Amino acid sequence: MAVYSNENYLLELIADYNLMTTEDIQLHRENVQLGHSVVEYLIQEGVVTEEGITKVSAAASSMDYIDLENMAIPPNVFDKMPQEVAKRFNAIPVEDDENYMTVAIADPLDFEVLDTLPHLLGKQIHPVCAKPSAIAQALEHFYSSAQEDEEKNSVEGGWEGGESEDDAPVIQLVNSILIDAFKIGASDIHVEPVESCLRIRYRLDGKLIVAGEHPKKLMHAVIARLKVMTSTMKISEKRIPQDGRIQMTVAGQEVDLRVSSVPSNHGESIVMRILDKSSLSLGLDKLGFLSDDQDTFNKLVGLPDGIILVTGPTGSGKTTTLYSCLHVINRADKKIITVEDPVEYELPGINQVMVRADIGMTFVAALRAMLRQAPNVIMVGEIRDAETANIAINASLTGHLVFSTLHTNDAPSAVARLADIGVKPFLIASALRAVMAQRLVRKLCSNCKTVTTLNEEESKLLKIPTEQLLEAQIYGAQGCDMCRQGGYKGRLGLFEILQVDDEISQLINQGLSTSQLKRRSRELGMRSLREDGVRKVLSGVTSAAEVLSTTMGDDF
């Protein structure tokens, strides 16, 4: 049986249309348990009927009532309303012509249905009322086979084979936006209402490219469709930010999209982060380490305890690096627990906890609970405050290997950042095993990269010794069909690894400034981000221009 909303209004209608007296309603209300539906109780007790309530509700809203159970509906009508739309809005298509569609709904006061369906269907609707149980039965009967077909298409061919020519144009448009983004390897999809149009942009290898501009009149329909696909975002709510998630299968691959909407001056802006589960197979060797750095980091992730930090700005690949570390050490004899905000990928064999501040599951609360689970390895998505930092540090000092991230520009600055948020220097010196700063640079397209030379400014900024320039072959970007004429395809990391040995630990304990710590670390062999970039320019995997633009703030 349907759970009735707008209870008080329905009870007033029951009295106004003489189905029951107000006094009788009050007597029955006293028998209903707190939190339960009075209207459902009245129907269960046989005092009123579901049909009677639906009829008076329809009459009060000047809608027609139809007997859906005894109505012959043309089968082709159901092709005009996708099953996920019908089930999301608890609606059944009854008739369809060029101008409008007659749609049976259970609640005539559900304004979200009345406002949204015209956008999704691409035509006006004529709403009529039917019993909630009749609608539920019709959804089960008429859409069960459609759902089976959709699931079959999803497994076998992804979305490319899952839509028919009769689907609404908006659905086809949204599907093509999502599929095209996945096919070209985009990391984000931006759906942006601007003054004159609805602009679609993809973030490809860290750079935004315009993928299309559509008429502004499609804005509401496209955004409504995306919200429907999340199943959690409210379509009628356009004043506050919302978050959701879309799960889909494209060409046999499972893909998650993390969806965020924000009101803007021209309408709601939506950004979707594409979380490709196939990328979870990445190991440390796929991140862009050169052989010596990879050997160093392999030894670090094999340590039994201590804390290892990965630093860098948003979008620098820190989460991918942490997941790759866990992938390396994920064995049956180790218990690994993560606390993340949010959980981006599900890692097999690993216990993952999502932060939910609204119910009190903060980083701190989750960390405290995790330590009672006797883990060997802990990953904290981000150290944001003193309490989280101190718990993570103390965990690393009591026999746990802890991975986490910080937002700092280079590796030595992480020490000052921890001190700034309240961690004592002697604790940092005792617990910290290494800090790795990283950035992402675009890889030259292997199909079209071309031999080039450095100009005077590039040579000056990169400080490459003349003998190395003579021995190496420098490549630059050109552009071809494989890289969409951009000259680059894929990304790799630049890394700056600060290992905390006895000497560095003593310097941290003494409270040295970041500049002093950086200077001594460089003297002991730490390479800066730009120096690592130079090595990758000389090895021909990226360009000088790319390294210079990415390491602009590196005091090389």
Side-chain angles (χ1 to χ4, degrees):
M1 183 177 295
V3 176
Y4 288 91
S5 56
N6 58 332
E7 281 254 310
N8 291 331
Y9 174 72
L10 284 176
L11 293 173
E12 288 177 9
L13 289 181
I14 289 171
D16 290 344
Y17 281 81
N18 298 317
L19 298 182
M20 288 180 67
T21 65
T22 303
E23 292 77 11
D24 287 341
I25 292 174
Q26 186 57 39
L27 287 174
H28 283 289
R29 189 194 291 268
E30 294 173 359
N31 295 324
V32 179
Q33 295 181 7
L34 186 65
H36 287 243
S37 168
V38 178
V39 175
E40 287 191 14
Y41 173 81
L42 295 176
I43 294 173
Q44 288 171 351
E45 293 297 311
V47 181
V48 295
T49 65
E50 188 185 29
E51 181 178 2
I53 290 176
T54 307
K55 283 183 175 180
V56 299
S57 181
S61 301
S62 301
M63 287 188 189
D64 294 328
Y65 169 83
I66 62 169
D67 182 2
L68 198 58
E69 294 169 313
N70 296 306
M71 175 176 287
I73 303 174
N76 65 319
V77 172
F78 297 101
D79 297 334
K80 307 298 182 181
M81 183 184 291
Q83 66 93 13
E84 75 272 18
V85 173
K87 292 191 173 183
R88 169 75 185 268
F89 293 106
N90 206 31
I92 290 292
V94 176
E95 292 181 4
D96 181 63
D97 61 26
E98 293 182 0
N99 300 317
Y100 66 89
M101 179 184 291
T102 301
V103 178
I105 60 175
D107 184 0
L109 295 181
D110 192 340
F111 298 112
E112 184 177 10
V113 174
L114 302 176
D115 291 342
T116 305
L117 278 182
H119 294 300
L120 292 178
L121 300 174
K123 61 175 59 180
Q124 294 300 311
I125 66 167
H126 171 60
V128 295
C129 279
K131 293 189 303 183
S133 61
I135 289 179
Q137 191 175 26
L139 286 170
E140 180 66 26
H141 176 71
F142 292 112
Y143 282 103
S144 59
S145 59
Q147 176 145 7
E148 290 172 3
D149 289 343
E150 181 173 312
E151 290 173 353
K152 183 172 181 290
N153 285 328
S154 175
V155 171
E156 292 182 353
W159 279 10
E160 294 91 333
E163 304 294 344
S164 69
E165 294 180 359
D166 294 329
D167 284 327
V170 168
I171 295 176
Q172 292 181 341
L173 172 61
V174 170
N175 288 356
S176 68
I177 290 170
L178 302 181
I179 292 171
D180 290 347
F182 177 79
K183 283 183 174 179
I184 69 169
S187 61
D188 301 273
I189 305 169
H190 294 249
V191 180
E192 304 167 318
V194 294
E195 187 174 4
S196 59
C197 65
L198 180 68
R199 183 174 65 182
I200 309 298
R201 292 195 290 174
Y202 299 151
R203 189 175 294 280
L204 184 62
D205 295 332
K207 304 291 183 182
L208 281 171
I209 60 171
V210 176
E213 294 182 345
H214 304 284
K216 189 71 175 285
K217 64 182 180 181
L218 294 177
M219 176 184 71
H220 295 297
V222 169
I223 292 173
R225 170 62 181 168
L226 290 169
K227 287 183 175 181
V228 165
M229 293 176 70
T230 68
S231 78
T232 57
M233 298 173 73
K234 294 182 179 179
I235 298 165
S236 58
E237 182 55 78
K238 304 172 184 177
R239 302 164 298 171
I240 60 174
Q242 295 187 73
D243 294 298
R245 205 172 186 116
I246 295 172
Q247 294 182 322
M248 66 182 192
T249 302
V250 179
Q253 296 187 52
E254 291 184 10
V255 182
D256 282 358
L257 291 94
R258 201 172 72 215
V259 185
S260 170
S261 72
V262 175
S264 71
N265 56 334
H266 294 296
E268 283 184 282
S269 173
I270 287 187
V271 175
M272 291 169 281
R273 168 69 56 88
I274 299 175
L275 307 173
D276 178 8
K277 292 185 178 181
S278 65
S279 66
L280 289 182
S281 59
L282 285 177
L284 292 176
D285 58 324
K286 302 295 195 303
L287 298 179
F289 285 112
L290 294 179
S291 58
D292 54 349
D293 281 344
Q294 186 175 333
D295 290 341
T296 298
F297 207 66
N298 275 329
K299 292 175 184 176
L300 290 171
V301 300
L303 292 172
D305 56 24
I307 186 165
I308 297 174
L309 295 176
V310 180
T311 76
T314 300
S316 60
K318 299 188 297 295
T319 301
T320 300
T321 297
L322 289 181
Y323 280 149
S324 296
C325 292
L326 297 183
H327 179 75
V328 169
I329 61 178
N330 185 15
R331 302 193 305 268
D333 63 341
K334 288 185 180 291
K335 184 175 180 68
I336 303 174
I337 305 181
T338 75
V339 52
E340 306 171 62
D341 183 19
V343 173
E344 293 194 357
Y345 299 98
E346 291 185 8
L347 302 172
I350 293 176
N351 301 276
Q352 295 173 268
V353 179
M354 185 170 72
V355 168
R356 290 192 57 190
D358 57 326
I359 60 171
M361 181 62 82
T362 61
F363 272 109
V364 172
L367 264 174
R368 285 180 175 151
M370 286 162 57
L371 291 174
R372 294 193 289 272
Q373 296 283 308
N376 301 105
V377 180
I378 296 171
M379 187 192 92
V380 185
E382 181 184 348
I383 292 178
R384 301 178 177 180
D385 52 49
E387 197 169 8
T388 304
N390 278 305
I391 293 174
I393 292 282
N394 288 326
S396 70
L397 291 172
T398 54
H400 304 86
L401 181 61
V402 179
F403 293 95
S404 192
T405 69
L406 277 177
H407 286 283
T408 63
N409 289 327
D410 56 32
S413 298
V415 174
R417 174 64 181 149
L418 288 173
D420 288 343
I421 63 177
V423 183
K424 302 295 184 184
F426 76 90
L427 289 175
I428 302 173
S430 301
L432 197 60
R433 297 291 179 266
V435 183
M436 184 174 76
Q438 69 177 62
R439 298 289 188 279
L440 292 178
V441 293
R442 293 180 294 170
K443 294 168 61 177
L444 287 166
C445 174
S446 58
N447 186 60
C448 66
K449 66 180 182 181
T450 181
V451 176
T452 187
T453 57
L454 299 181
N455 59 42
E456 185 178 344
E457 184 180 6
E458 289 172 338
S459 298
K460 178 181 177 181
L461 291 171
L462 292 179
K463 298 181 181 178
I464 303 175
T466 304
E467 60 273 15
Q468 282 188 304
L469 275 178
L470 293 174
E471 295 174 2
Q473 207 162 39
I474 307 297
Y475 289 90
Q478 179 170 318
C480 64
D481 291 340
M482 283 185 63
C483 60
R484 299 172 63 89
Q485 307 303 323
Y488 298 91
K489 191 173 180 61
R491 289 191 289 178
L492 76 159
L494 302 183
F495 304 101
E496 174 183 274
I497 303 175
L498 169 61
Q499 296 186 73
V500 182
D501 56 16
D502 290 341
E503 181 175 347
I504 295 296
S505 179
Q506 289 178 9
L507 297 177
I508 293 172
N509 200 16
Q510 293 168 13
L512 259 66
S513 68
T514 298
S515 59
Q516 291 172 311
L517 186 61
K518 185 183 298 186
R519 189 180 310 116
R520 184 55 183 153
S521 300
R522 294 285 299 278
E523 290 171 358
L524 293 173
M526 182 188 78
R527 274 187 294 269
S528 71
L529 289 164
R530 183 168 291 183
E531 285 174 324
D532 192 42
V534 166
R535 296 201 301 163
K536 284 159 185 173
V537 169
L538 294 174
S539 63
V541 293
T542 191
S543 67
E546 186 71 7
V547 169
L548 287 172
S549 66
T550 304
T551 62
M552 191 67 70
D554 194 352
D555 56 345
F556 178 58

